[in-house]
Amino acid sequence: MSGPIPVTIVTGFLGAGKTTLLAGLIRRRQTRRLALLINEFGEVAVDGALIREAVSGIGGAAQVRIAELPHGLIAYGDDEQFLPAMQAIAARRANIDHVLIETSGLALPSAVMEWLQTPALAADFVLDATLAVVDTPLLLEASKAGAHADADASAAWLFEQQLALADVVVLNKIDALDETALLRAETLIRARAPNVRFLELAYHAQLDIRLALGLRLHQSTRGAEHAHNRVYTPVARMPGADAQPLPDQGFLNGHAHSGMGAHSHGLTTHKHFHEQDPGWLSFTLRSDAAQALPQLTQALAEAARQEPILRSKGFVRAGGARSPVLVQGVRARITLAESAAADADPADRAAQTPSSQRSELVFIGYHANRKRVADLLSAITATHWS
């Protein structure tokens, strides 16, 4: 029997670009046969559609298996889908080389890390690495006072927890930044998460596959003994000019990666997360009318200014577009792009994106008012949203 299947967890706050980065890794996967678990905090599977689009574009359906776990947060205490999904992957282990798990932007990776250490999964899977994807321009703007202080404070807490649990931090959305800005971003990351082992740059949302998969940061150096008896390779120095030896090499093993007690940090952390801040919510708005894209962009930006909306995404029907237009919003920064499904065969197009007969947008915010957002979009676009 072969060894456990390596698992890479991709975490990062809302809108960091996790899905785009994953799509790039899929395209450059070489001969790896991948299984993907995608978790979204919303009822419309936008991320799953984008990943399926990437897989279809390379003809890799036989080598890339996708499982979507919508609604809620993956591997949290009340999630009944994660364990069966992983066990189904284990049952197909002869056809899978690596598992990629994209967590919701409102999740901590520690719940998945915890599950990988349980008797139910430890024999079949091993954590390869945890990657935290960062919206670098947003990081650089974080010191500025925001319009929604409560949302900003809650987001900052969650973001710092995601960084603290990461092995690798990927600075994304950096194409317009100069070297000074990148150095400042690195300084901010190091201040928030001094134990992060590697810092990588993702120009054009692309990351070398060798920097993401097969890192073996949590695998034993010998044997298949029980995890408590494994021997882990020490890392003498952290990266950086002023790096020092890690004071606690146990930080690098699969049981103590967070610096907390073995088997105690994941689900407990998530219970604490829910109790600490239940204000995050998601809702979907729909319209059957064709949209004028300039007005829609204005409406989405204005909604983020008036309400604590930190993320908007979805597909909209626009006049003249061959397929649904992809909407990606991070606060008031809105981007629109015609889906690559426009170039697909008509028979494939329907399977890659939601129905082109209506527009659907997911909003994720902090105590955001659904009715006010719907009224605002309806007024500015002169179409009905509900």
Side-chain angles (χ1 to χ4, degrees):
M1 181 177 178
S2 59
I5 306 170
V7 177
T8 296
I9 305 170
V10 180
T11 188
F13 195 65
L14 299 167
K18 300 183 294 296
T19 304
T20 304
L21 195 80
L22 268 178
L25 292 175
I26 289 170
R27 295 186 187 99
R28 296 185 303 281
R29 75 186 194 287
Q30 299 170 337
T31 61
R32 291 179 179 86
R33 297 165 300 177
L34 304 177
L36 276 72
L37 267 63
I38 301 170
N39 182 225
E40 298 192 62
F41 195 78
E43 61 181 278
V44 178
V46 178
D47 294 350
L50 296 178
I51 292 296
R52 288 195 302 273
E53 191 175 279
V55 171
S56 176
I58 60 172
Q63 285 74 41
V64 182
R65 308 295 181 89
I66 302 168
E68 296 177 55
L69 305 182
H71 308 295
L73 302 173
I74 192 170
Y76 276 46
D78 55 357
D79 176 17
E80 298 179 353
Q81 301 179 71
F82 177 70
L83 180 58
M86 292 297 285
Q87 290 173 330
I89 291 172
R92 302 194 306 269
R93 61 182 304 118
N95 299 310
I96 295 172
D97 300 314
H98 205 108
V99 178
L100 283 160
I101 300 177
E102 179 192 1
T103 66
S104 158
L106 292 176
L108 298 176
S110 51
V112 175
M113 297 158 93
E114 174 83 6
W115 266 110
L116 293 177
Q117 299 173 34
T118 62
L121 297 179
D124 294 309
F125 300 97
V126 62
L127 180 63
D128 188 59
T130 299
L131 277 59
V133 183
V134 173
D135 181 335
T136 311
L138 189 59
L139 170 70
L140 295 172
E141 296 167 5
S143 59
K144 301 177 182 178
H148 309 290
D150 289 342
D152 290 339
S154 181
W157 178 86
L158 183 55
F159 172 66
E160 293 190 4
Q161 295 297 311
Q162 290 171 338
L163 289 181
L165 290 162
D167 299 301
V168 181
V169 168
V170 180
L171 295 181
N172 200 23
K173 305 185 181 182
I174 60 175
D175 304 282
L177 301 180
D178 59 20
E179 185 176 349
T180 300
L182 291 175
L183 288 174
R184 180 170 169 245
E186 179 177 356
T187 299
L188 291 170
I189 293 294
R190 294 289 183 200
R192 287 166 169 77
N195 287 323
V196 164
R197 298 178 66 180
F198 302 104
L199 214 63
E200 305 294 349
L201 304 180
Y203 286 97
H204 308 294
Q206 303 295 310
L207 188 64
D208 189 320
I209 195 77
R210 295 168 297 181
L211 304 177
L213 304 186
L215 300 182
R216 301 174 63 89
L217 298 184
H218 298 267
Q219 295 189 34
S220 62
T221 58
R222 61 179 174 88
E225 300 93 347
H226 184 269
H228 286 291
N229 299 321
R230 288 177 179 170
V231 176
Y232 292 82
T233 304
V235 174
R237 296 176 66 82
M238 294 286 288
D242 299 321
Q244 299 295 324
L246 283 175
D248 179 10
Q249 293 289 337
F251 174 87
L252 305 177
N253 82 35
H255 283 83
H257 47 69
S258 70
M260 303 180 187
H263 299 297
S264 67
H265 52 280
L267 302 181
T268 303
T269 300
H270 286 294
K271 182 179 179 182
H272 173 70
F273 169 72
H274 282 300
E275 291 175 348
Q276 171 175 322
D277 206 337
W280 293 101
L281 56 87
S282 169
F283 57 85
T284 301
L285 296 179
R286 298 175 173 87
S287 176
D288 292 320
Q291 297 296 308
L293 297 183
Q295 285 83 355
L296 178 65
T297 301
Q298 177 189 354
L300 292 172
E302 188 60 31
R305 294 186 188 103
Q306 294 193 25
E307 288 289 314
I309 299 291
L310 272 67
R311 184 78 168 103
S312 56
K313 58 182 178 178
F315 294 93
V316 300
R317 183 165 67 93
R322 291 179 294 165
S323 67
V325 173
L326 171 65
V327 176
Q328 297 275 23
V330 179
R331 304 196 183 205
R333 289 184 292 157
I334 312 298
T335 59
L336 305 176
E338 189 168 355
S339 168
D343 300 321
D345 291 336
D348 296 333
R349 193 177 303 163
Q352 293 179 27
T353 58
S355 170
S356 60
Q357 299 307 307
R358 68 181 344 195
S359 299
E360 292 184 317
L361 292 174
V362 176
F363 295 86
I364 303 174
Y366 189 80
H367 292 293
N369 187 299
R370 185 183 191 279
K371 183 178 185 303
R372 283 202 290 265
V373 174
D375 289 347
L376 186 58
L377 262 64
S378 298
I380 295 178
T381 66
T383 60
H384 179 66
W385 286 88
S386 62

